[in-house]
Every structure is written in C-alpha cells, then in structure tokens.
Amino acid sequence: MATKPNRIAIENVIRPGKTYNVDAGKFAAMRDAVLASLPTSPPGMTVPELKAEVLPRLPDSLFPGGEKAGWWIKAVQLDQEAKRVIARADGSPVRLYRL
C-alpha cells in the first residue's frame, strides 16, 4: 500500500497483514519516546507508567499538553509488537518491555 507524503504505514499485532497510514512525525516522536522509556527486561512497565514517562519526552508542537498521547502510545505499542521490537509480559495488567 502506498503512503501519502508525511504519512507512514504501521502494523497492528492484533490484525496481521493489515496496515494503517498515520502521521509520520507524530509516530516517530512517540516511537522514540516509548522506546527510550521502556525497560529492556520483563516485567516491564504498565501503560499508565509508560504514559507518565513518555509525556515529558514529547514535543509540545506535536502533542500540545499531551493531547492524544494515549492513542499514539497504543498505535506505537501495537506496531512495535508486530515488528517484535517490544513485548508484553505474561499476566495482567499489560506490562511492556523492549526486546
């Protein structure tokens, strides 16, 4: 699937083979913040803990006041899980870590 300028195709671990086109700048900023925040071993951190770590790392020009950060964290999580860059620890709540 071709992407438009300033867009990037991302994957979703829940829907293998399907891609979604999203804003490339926002995705890259969130991906970098998420990967910089996640620990490299299980059990990792919960999504609320991750959000607290990510928010100060985001450019206010893209995420004013943290706007829509939760949606973008989830988009990055599902894409990076599909690419096997991050993983979920067993059990509940969801805990994420870098591979």
Side-chain angles (χ1 to χ4, degrees), residues 37-46 49 85-99:
S37 299
L38 285 175
T40 58
S41 60
M45 60 176 46
T46 65
E49 291 169 338
V85 174
I86 67 173
R88 296 180 199 205
D90 292 333
S92 184
V94 172
R95 298 181 74 84
L96 304 168
Y97 62 97
R98 280 186 295 133
L99 293 174

Side-chain angles (χ1 to χ4, degrees), residues 44-97:
M45 60 176 46
T46 65
V47 175
E49 291 169 338
L50 176 60
K51 186 174 182 179
E53 290 289 322
V54 162
L55 287 176
R57 298 175 188 264
L58 297 174
D60 200 50
S61 61
L62 295 176
F63 298 95
E67 185 177 300
K68 305 226 185 249
W71 187 92
W72 285 97
I73 288 170
K74 190 65 170 181
V76 167
Q77 172 198 337
L78 295 174
D79 177 74
Q80 297 298 285
E81 279 188 276
K83 291 176 168 86
R84 294 192 164 97
V85 174
I86 67 173
R88 296 180 199 205
D90 292 333
S92 184
V94 172
R95 298 181 74 84
L96 304 168
Y97 62 97

Side-chain angles (χ1 to χ4, degrees), residues 8-26:
I8 185 171
I10 63 170
E11 299 176 60
N12 183 333
V13 69
I14 297 169
R15 301 200 180 235
K18 183 158 175 58
T19 60
Y20 303 85
N21 290 325
V22 299
D23 182 280
K26 286 185 178 185

